Amino acid sequence: MPYNIKGNVSFLSNQEKYNTEKPFYSNNGVVFDREHASPHNVQSEYIELEVEDIRGREEEGGEMNDNLDRWPFQIIKHTSQHLDWDRLENFDNYRKETEQLLTTKFNAVKAVCFDVLIRSSEPVEKRTEEYGLDDPRRPNVPALITHNDLSHDASLNIMADHLTEDELKEYCNGKYRVRMMNMWRPLVDKVETRPLAMCDPQTVEEKDVVRCDRLAGEWLSEIYVYKYNPNMKWYWLSDQARDEVWIFVFWDSEANMAKSRSCPHTSIEDPRFVGPDAPIRRSVETRNFVIERVRV
């Protein structure tokens, strides 16, 4: 049975300082740089919202949304062969598997997986005691604020980092469509604690979108964070299993506004699973760009 959550969703606090001060934060908690004396200046606020369960309607739209044109998010069924994360080679294996899946699904000319990230809701001491700061097996916490993975400028920078000059000229000539996509998979039998939720970008206004600097290891990038808007509509999938994978778009070369380029998302608090006894939530996500020929 579908279960609509009445739970807490975190947004950037609506403070005047963000009119003149750009938000920033560091994933690993270290001081951001010499100019910023703290790891972050992001202050969030929790808003209790109803989040609609799409369980039973996972494939709503069918072929109409198969290319993620009707909605920028979708659940697909996929079983991975490379989920033993104690084996470092599986990070590369999972990248290749993801690239093959996206190439096939979107009939793409090219798909590039440029990031694989493990997340866990375990206490910080358990997450850090086994692996070093730069070890990809060291889990990050679940995302705790409504955000979009990369801004427009940061998406262009990613393409420049992973394509040759000749490829950039070829794929950025208007004959191809490039989309940045996240593929998010549970690493538990059933997600109960901090499930992932999606916001319909058509319910977002330009004034809700705020650029934010993010430092992850030595990688400095720019993302979008969001202020609360009561018109936003949110969705989640209850009891999400390992083979139920979110695919969502977070940048589209054919879109012309920040809100339509992005898909706001975050982990949310299910009031049934909170506190120290809540089940551990583990997940893996990849960030990718997919290049398709423009449909005539």
Side-chain angles (χ1 to χ4, degrees):
M1 291 287 292
Y3 177 78
N4 293 353
I5 289 180
K6 191 78 171 180
N8 289 321
V9 181
S10 178
F11 298 89
L12 183 69
S13 179
N14 191 15
Q15 298 188 24
E16 289 187 5
K17 72 174 184 177
Y18 295 127
N19 295 330
T20 56
E21 182 178 332
K22 186 178 183 181
F24 65 90
Y25 76 94
S26 169
N27 267 8
N28 54 26
V30 300
V31 172
F32 197 81
D33 58 29
R34 292 180 182 177
E35 181 181 351
H36 304 101
S38 101
H40 70 89
N41 70 344
V42 172
Q43 292 184 296
S44 60
E45 60 178 349
Y46 277 98
I47 306 292
E48 188 179 63
L49 302 176
E50 181 163 314
V51 183
E52 184 176 340
D53 188 3
I54 65 168
R55 175 62 69 190
R57 300 186 291 121
E58 297 94 319
E59 298 180 5
E60 187 171 284
E63 293 182 359
M64 292 178 64
N65 196 47
D66 197 47
N67 199 45
L68 296 179
D69 283 326
R70 188 172 182 182
W71 296 286
F73 51 83
Q74 184 183 64
I75 290 287
I76 66 165
K77 286 276 193 175
H78 179 262
T79 300
S80 175
Q81 305 302 314
H82 307 290
L83 298 182
D84 180 0
W85 300 107
D86 287 330
R87 298 173 58 190
L88 277 172
E89 64 268 25
N90 272 343
F91 283 83
D92 191 48
N93 291 335
Y94 194 72
R95 278 191 180 90
K96 293 174 182 176
E97 183 182 66
T98 299
E99 290 173 348
Q100 183 58 56
L101 186 156
L102 293 173
T103 299
T104 301
K105 175 174 173 57
F106 295 101
N107 192 25
V109 175
K110 189 180 185 71
V112 176
C113 174
F114 59 86
D115 191 23
V116 180
L117 186 67
I118 307 293
R119 295 188 187 273
S120 175
S121 64
E122 293 174 297
V124 64
E125 61 273 9
K126 290 186 178 181
R127 290 186 290 107
T128 58
E129 63 186 9
E130 189 171 355
Y131 304 116
L133 192 62
D134 297 324
D135 193 316
R137 295 171 294 182
R138 179 179 186 267
N140 286 261
V141 296
L144 299 177
I145 191 169
T146 301
H147 69 286
N148 185 68
D149 289 0
L150 291 173
S151 70
H152 171 67
D153 292 344
S155 296
L156 294 177
N157 289 338
I158 285 290
M159 289 175 57
D161 287 342
H162 291 85
L163 297 177
T164 66
E165 289 188 14
D166 288 343
E167 286 176 322
L168 286 170
K169 289 178 183 177
E170 179 180 1
Y171 297 138
C172 298
N173 62 6
K175 297 180 181 180
Y176 296 87
R177 181 185 192 182
V178 184
R179 289 186 288 180
M180 298 279 172
M181 299 182 185
N182 187 310
M183 228 176 77
W184 191 96
R185 178 193 301 274
L187 294 178
V188 291
D189 293 335
K190 180 173 65 175
V191 176
E192 295 172 317
T193 302
R194 305 293 318 187
L196 192 65
M198 302 287 166
C199 178
D200 180 351
Q202 297 307 314
T203 64
V204 176
E205 298 180 23
E206 289 293 306
K207 64 179 178 62
D208 308 328
V209 185
V210 181
R211 293 172 178 263
C212 175
D213 286 332
R214 176 182 63 185
L215 183 66
E218 296 182 352
W219 181 34
L220 176 63
S221 63
E222 183 181 67
I223 66 172
Y224 295 133
V225 291
Y226 295 82
K227 297 179 181 179
Y228 170 64
N229 179 338
N231 295 321
M232 289 176 171
K233 292 185 178 179
W234 284 85
Y235 302 90
W236 78 301
L237 179 68
S238 61
D239 298 333
Q240 185 178 354
R242 292 175 196 266
D243 65 345
E244 295 179 315
V245 182
W246 282 110
I247 296 183
F248 56 95
V249 177
F250 59 88
W251 182 80
D252 186 344
S253 64
E254 289 194 352
N256 56 15
M257 294 183 295
K259 75 171 186 179
S260 56
R261 290 185 192 275
S262 60
C263 183
H265 58 282
T266 188
S267 69
I268 58 174
E269 187 179 272
D270 184 337
R272 298 173 299 172
F273 303 105
V274 295
D277 296 326
I280 297 298
R281 187 270 252 181
R282 288 179 62 85
S283 62
V284 58
E285 64 191 84
T286 62
R287 298 186 179 102
N288 321 270
F289 61 87
V290 179
I291 303 172
E292 310 156 70
R293 293 187 186 277
V294 171
R295 298 182 180 184
V296 180

